[in-house]
Amino acid sequence: MANVSKKVSWSSRDEDPAQGEGTPLLNGASAARYTRQFSGSGIFHIGRLSTVDLEEENVEEEGSILSRPKEIPHNEKLLSLKYESLDYDNSENQLFLEEERRMSYMGFRCLEISRWVVCGLIGFLTGLIACFIDIVVENLAGVKYHVVKQNIEKFTEVGGLSISLILWAVLNSAFVMVGSIIVAFFEPIAAGSGIPQIKCYLNGVKIPRVVRLKTLVVKVGGVICSVAGGLAVGKEGPMIHSGAVVAAGVSQGRSTSLKKDFKIFEYFRRDTEKRDFVSAGAAAGVSAAFGAPVGGVLFSLEEGASFWNQMLTWRIFFASMMSTFTLNFFLSIYHEKPGDLSSPGLINFGRFDSDSVEYNLYEIPLFICMGAIGGLLGALFNVLNYWLTIFRIRYIHRPCLQVMEAMLVAAVTATVSFAMIYFSNDCQPLGPDQSEEYPLQLFCADGEYNSMATAFFNTPERSVRSLFHNPPGTYNPLTLGVFTLSYFFLACWTYGLTVSAGVFIPSLLIGAAWGRLFGILLSAITSSGSIWADPGKYALIGAAAQLGGIVRMTLSLTVIMVEATGNVTYGLPIMLVLMTAKIVGDYFVGGLYDIHIKLQSVPFLDWEAPATSHSLTAREVMSSPVTCFNRIEKVGRIVDILSNTSTNHNGFPVVPRVNENNEPGRLCGLILRSQLIVLLKHKVFVERAHSRLKQRRLQLKDFRDAYPRFPPIQSIHVSQDERECMMDLTEFMNPTPYTVPQETSLPRVFKLFRALGLRHLVVIDSENRVVGLVTRKDLARYHLGRHGLEELQLAQT
């Protein structure tokens, strides 16, 4: 029998009957339902927070006063039931097969051309968004740094630099306040980089509101304010999220938010097609951010999409190329250099000349050591951010508190930056070929500038570029050491705020700083160090090591770094560094994105089943008993089951007849909640079909028009007379759902489920009778823990 004692359900204040995967186990007396009590706080409900989408409400015993507690308990051993799965497997019912058979070869060719057109539009619009973000950020940051620079120069002579500090902190806080308000109060899902959410979406999990138009608007506005506000953040993560939202909208040929249907691309209105286009959008975002089309394709393959084919690879590459071309074309026009398409992308690392990037074989062990350092520092970063996120979940759960925290971090960042610049005595000559955008003299002699200001008084992208390309002697070791330490903790504190922000650039900046320091120290301890220990070279290796230690990417990040720097010479060292950083980091803790996915209690499926799970079978994993429908079912029973808020099932096996004693019936097919809702909405009843009234035969277009926001069952009116009618499900059910025998091992079930992108897997006995149903949450709840195979609890979070 299934291990039913460990499946629990917590009540939720904002339950949507249309949401949730709905394990059939929770449909009956065999399911254990209870509400957990905490001392002194009464009953609580888990709902939505900025980081893990949780929202808590304290209900007094009298029931008259609602108050929010100061602390929200958080249990990591939970798996949320609020997330649905995507229907990546087509429902091959009669309607689908008839449409496919009617379509000619030319029709299929036209569909393929349409896919290329959609990918081109995705790349073009993503490039436009990247161009807009780049121009606005550069102008806002330029105005801010120009004003602060003039103020510092003024008060350096007459005294009163505290006024400059206050001005800098106020400007930072003002920008960040705007960005945080629009995220916290208007669209909390736009917080962070968006990469964990897109990674979950491409894994097959439907994250609520993640690809909405409103999310895109808030994401773009939020990242502009975050970067202009001087936070230790980057633009690359939000660009990936933005590209995914663009793809989800363009591929559907309509906007459900604006209630505008352009009557195009209707064939693509299903999860199967939509998720492929979202993969292209994520790749286009990477390409626009780094000028790395191939890296974008590999990013979608390595970090995102669970399902892949050859034609999808070429379409995604086309979208990535179009994104980079569009960005560079419009930036060249803006900078009055029409026709100059050599800009490497939104994040400009600058090109490494061939003469300056040579390396020797005996440096390979040094690079591997740097990879190990990056893995250790990345693990430390992730652990600190993990505990900080837990603290935010428990205490900083109100939008007003989230905005205040973001403003505090902005002010502290400005204060730390000012203090580092003020107390630094690292003065460098301001040569004629100096590329510093905002050089600060401060207490340096005439013709010199403060080297610490190059790192702090700049956008993170410019700081990375200066660490890569400034000549030896530009920074002294103390400056780099202090900057690495301070920026490490600032970036760790910043990631997870209620703002739109990425972690790529801060990670690269931290690694570039300690990597350059590593190169300087090598030059100091070796007699011939000046020949081969170029600090810019080691800054590049350190940047790759630090980023790899935090996000644990290997192949895609190698190609991104090679494309962004414009030279393939360091392909092998960067790959070795990233692999070493990943191995070392994984020994201590998971990657940053994986940590935040677990904190959101998302039923994310890894590439393989847990290594020690062969002892489990489908019978022990499945949910049972299963709610089944008759092939010809009474409308009233369908409505009652769909309206049952304690179950929220989304898939129902169809049998010839459901026995009164609940004995399993022979499997005839599988039908989805969304299909039943459309059938009820259009009153597809047997009695109407047999009556004299002519009724239009339902087509796939009716289901596609309702996608993706199918109406809740409560919005469909069914009269008492209609409840007595019958509904024939034969034409609409999938007559060939995937099934497994109940003795199938868990790894085999896992492989079939994940490889085919299933939402429901029916478990049958030797006589083809339905005995259970396996969903994503039934598989995701098993994972390897410290004490072997562990099972997570299921909760209505």
Side-chain angles (χ1 to χ4, degrees):
M1 295 295 293
N3 192 358
V4 299
S5 63
K6 293 188 179 181
K7 288 193 176 183
V8 299
S9 175
W10 290 359
S11 57
S12 176
R13 178 168 62 108
D14 294 321
E15 290 185 17
D16 184 350
Q19 299 292 326
E21 189 65 32
T23 50
L25 174 65
L26 302 179
N27 178 45
S30 62
R33 292 182 55 83
Y34 68 91
T35 303
R36 183 170 294 186
Q37 300 279 343
F38 283 82
S39 59
S41 63
I43 303 175
F44 79 91
H45 308 265
I46 295 186
R48 190 177 68 183
L49 257 186
S50 65
T51 306
V52 294
D53 281 346
L54 296 178
E55 185 178 282
E56 198 272 349
E57 172 182 77
N58 188 33
V59 182
E60 302 286 345
E61 293 182 0
E62 300 295 330
S64 58
I65 301 177
L66 295 178
S67 61
R68 294 178 181 269
K70 294 181 178 179
E71 177 182 355
I72 291 182
H74 179 70
N75 189 346
E76 301 169 40
K77 303 300 182 182
L78 294 178
L79 202 63
S80 177
L81 286 173
K82 76 174 182 178
Y83 295 107
E84 293 184 48
S85 293
L86 296 171
D87 292 313
Y88 199 67
D89 178 48
N90 288 321
S91 178
E92 292 191 348
N93 53 25
Q94 292 183 19
L95 296 181
F96 176 83
L97 293 177
E98 288 174 4
E99 182 184 71
E100 295 294 305
R101 289 164 183 165
R102 286 196 305 266
M103 192 175 298
S104 64
Y105 174 76
M106 186 57 65
F108 282 108
R109 297 297 298 172
C110 290
L111 278 178
E112 188 62 27
I113 293 173
S114 298
R115 291 188 180 97
W116 284 89
V117 171
V118 170
C119 287
L121 288 173
I122 291 170
F124 176 76
L125 293 177
T126 303
L128 280 181
I129 293 173
C131 182
F132 173 77
I133 291 175
D134 185 58
I135 292 173
V136 175
V137 166
E138 288 300 318
N139 281 278
L140 289 178
V143 170
K144 184 192 77 171
Y145 287 123
H146 181 71
V147 170
V148 175
K149 181 175 182 294
Q150 285 187 329
N151 194 272
I152 290 176
E153 291 174 348
K154 172 184 175 182
F155 287 103
T156 300
E157 299 177 358
V158 301
L161 279 174
S162 57
I163 298 177
S164 302
L165 169 60
I166 294 173
L167 175 64
W168 193 354
V170 168
L171 287 176
N172 275 13
S173 300
F175 280 120
V176 173
M177 179 184 69
V178 175
S180 183
I181 285 175
I182 62 177
V183 171
F185 289 94
F186 293 97
E187 196 54 87
I189 195 65
S193 67
I195 294 180
Q197 290 82 357
I198 296 303
K199 188 174 179 179
C200 291
Y201 187 92
L202 296 178
N203 185 259
V205 183
K206 185 181 293 183
I207 306 295
R209 310 185 65 85
V210 73
V211 288
R212 298 274 183 92
L213 177 62
K214 183 179 177 183
T215 304
L216 174 63
V217 174
V218 173
K219 197 79 178 184
V220 172
V223 71
I224 289 173
C225 293
S226 300
V227 178
L231 291 177
V233 299
K235 298 173 280 192
E236 74 302 318
M239 270 311 308
I240 296 169
H241 191 179
S242 299
V245 179
V246 168
V250 171
S251 63
Q252 303 304 291
R254 67 178 177 185
S255 171
T256 51
S257 299
L258 300 178
K259 295 180 173 58
K260 181 66 176 177
D261 193 340
F262 298 99
K263 304 296 182 182
I264 57 175
F265 308 137
E266 292 179 323
Y267 184 84
F268 303 143
R269 294 176 185 177
R270 48 179 170 161
D271 290 337
T272 310
E273 299 283 351
K274 187 176 181 179
R275 181 156 47 153
D276 287 347
F277 289 121
V278 170
S279 299
V286 173
S287 180
F290 295 100
V294 179
V297 175
L298 293 177
F299 174 85
S300 283
L301 175 61
E302 181 181 7
E303 288 295 311
S306 304
F307 313 97
W308 208 261
N309 60 64
Q310 185 179 15
M311 290 307 299
L312 179 62
T313 303
W314 284 108
R315 289 199 300 270
I316 291 179
F317 181 68
F318 175 62
S320 300
M321 289 293 295
M322 182 62 72
S323 175
T324 303
F325 175 83
T326 303
L327 171 65
N328 293 340
F329 177 76
F330 285 100
L331 283 181
S332 68
I333 294 177
Y334 175 77
H335 294 297
E336 298 181 351
K337 297 179 180 179
D340 181 11
L341 305 180
S342 59
S343 176
L346 194 64
I347 312 301
N348 185 356
F349 291 147
R351 302 295 181 179
F352 279 79
D353 297 329
S354 299
D355 295 338
S356 63
V357 292
E358 295 179 356
Y359 70 93
N360 300 292
L361 288 179
Y362 55 80
E363 292 182 88
I364 295 294
L366 295 175
F367 296 155
I368 293 177
C369 290
M370 294 181 70
I373 295 173
L376 290 172
L377 292 177
L380 176 62
F381 185 100
N382 293 354
V383 168
L384 293 176
N385 188 262
Y386 167 80
W387 288 111
L388 182 59
T389 304
I390 293 293
F391 177 84
R392 286 180 173 132
I393 293 171
R394 292 176 174 172
Y395 299 104
I396 310 177
H397 47 82
R398 297 182 183 179
C400 57
L401 292 177
Q402 294 164 351
V403 174
M404 291 173 62
E405 185 199 14
M407 294 176 63
L408 174 64
V409 174
V412 170
T413 301
T415 303
V416 171
S417 302
F418 187 88
M420 295 294 103
I421 297 172
Y422 183 85
F423 290 106
S424 174
N425 58 358
D426 184 8
C427 297
Q428 302 293 334
L430 190 61
D433 57 343
Q434 201 66 39
S435 60
E436 309 307 328
E437 190 74 16
Y438 313 105
L440 278 179
Q441 180 179 353
L442 212 62
F443 302 117
C444 295
D446 292 340
E448 294 182 340
Y449 69 97
N450 189 300
S451 184
M452 183 71 80
T454 305
F456 273 117
F457 197 70
N458 232 328
T459 59
E461 292 84 4
R462 293 183 182 276
S463 299
V464 171
R465 193 159 63 248
S466 67
L467 288 169
F468 281 174
H469 297 288
N470 279 11
T474 305
Y475 299 91
N476 67 38
L478 180 61
T479 299
L480 293 173
V482 172
F483 174 80
T484 300
L485 187 65
S486 58
Y487 205 82
F488 180 92
F489 289 105
L490 285 175
C492 186
W493 188 12
T494 303
Y495 190 79
L497 291 176
T498 312
V499 295
S500 298
V503 76
F504 270 59
I505 295 302
S507 303
L508 291 172
L509 184 51
I510 295 167
W514 68 256
R516 192 177 180 99
L517 175 62
F518 189 90
I520 292 175
L521 295 180
L522 274 180
S523 299
I525 63 177
T526 56
S527 58
S528 58
S530 59
I531 299 176
W532 53 271
D534 176 60
K537 172 174 59 179
Y538 283 90
L540 174 63
I541 298 298
Q546 184 65 54
L547 181 55
I550 292 176
V551 302
R552 310 293 162 75
M553 293 163 55
T554 53
L555 181 61
S556 59
L557 186 54
T558 301
V559 178
I560 288 172
M561 296 293 289
V562 167
E563 289 186 282
T565 55
N567 199 296
V568 299
T569 305
Y570 274 80
L572 176 61
I574 290 176
M575 172 60 79
L576 292 175
V577 163
L578 292 174
M579 291 178 63
T580 305
K582 177 176 173 58
I583 292 171
V584 173
D586 285 343
Y587 180 80
F588 297 99
V589 68
L592 186 63
Y593 299 143
D594 296 327
I595 288 174
H596 280 260
I597 288 173
K598 290 179 181 179
L599 287 173
Q600 294 177 27
S601 302
V602 177
F604 188 89
L605 295 182
D606 293 322
W607 291 102
E608 300 287 345
T612 59
S613 60
H614 281 83
S615 60
L616 294 175
T617 63
R619 184 178 65 251
E620 297 169 296
V621 173
M622 69 185 186
S623 299
S624 64
V626 182
T627 302
C628 298
F629 283 131
N630 295 313
R631 184 190 292 268
I632 300 179
E633 185 60 84
K634 190 176 181 181
V635 173
R637 182 170 183 266
I638 295 176
V639 172
D640 291 340
I641 291 177
L642 295 183
S643 302
N644 189 349
T645 57
S646 65
T647 56
N648 290 338
H649 304 332
N650 278 286
F652 304 89
V654 180
V655 297
R657 182 171 180 79
V658 177
N659 298 323
E660 295 181 358
N661 54 1
N662 288 330
E663 290 184 2
R666 292 180 181 273
L667 178 67
C668 294
L670 185 76
I671 194 162
L672 303 176
R673 166 186 286 267
S674 57
Q675 294 173 315
L676 292 170
I677 287 178
V678 174
L679 295 178
L680 290 172
K681 180 181 178 181
H682 289 273
K683 312 293 183 183
V684 184
F685 306 146
V686 174
E687 288 76 6
R688 283 184 169 236
H690 293 165
S691 67
R692 296 179 180 179
L693 297 175
K694 288 187 177 181
Q695 186 176 15
R696 181 179 64 86
R697 185 171 181 267
L698 224 59
Q699 299 177 346
L700 276 183
K701 183 180 185 302
D702 299 299
F703 295 90
R704 289 168 181 158
D705 288 342
Y707 175 87
R709 303 185 195 178
F710 294 97
I713 185 63
Q714 289 81 1
S715 67
I716 298 176
H717 176 70
V718 178
S719 65
Q720 193 62 39
D721 292 338
E722 290 173 335
R723 288 179 60 88
E724 301 300 320
C725 294
M726 305 299 290
M727 182 182 291
D728 190 352
L729 306 179
T730 305
E731 188 179 9
F732 310 101
M733 70 180 184
N734 181 6
T736 57
Y738 289 98
T739 61
V740 291
Q742 55 185 338
E743 298 301 327
T744 308
S745 67
L746 175 59
R748 194 171 184 84
V749 173
F750 191 99
K751 183 181 296 185
L752 177 66
F753 196 95
R754 196 185 192 285
L756 297 177
L758 302 182
R759 187 176 186 180
H760 304 94
L761 183 60
V762 184
V763 182
I764 57 175
D765 61 11
S766 59
E767 298 180 2
N768 199 40
R769 293 180 299 189
V770 180
V771 295
L773 200 66
V774 175
T775 64
R776 168 179 291 269
K777 299 176 185 68
D778 296 316
L779 299 177
R781 63 193 174 103
Y782 293 98
H783 74 110
L784 280 178
R786 296 180 179 177
H787 307 290
L789 192 65
E790 295 180 351
E791 183 179 356
L792 303 177
Q793 293 178 333
L794 302 180
Q796 286 284 5
T797 58

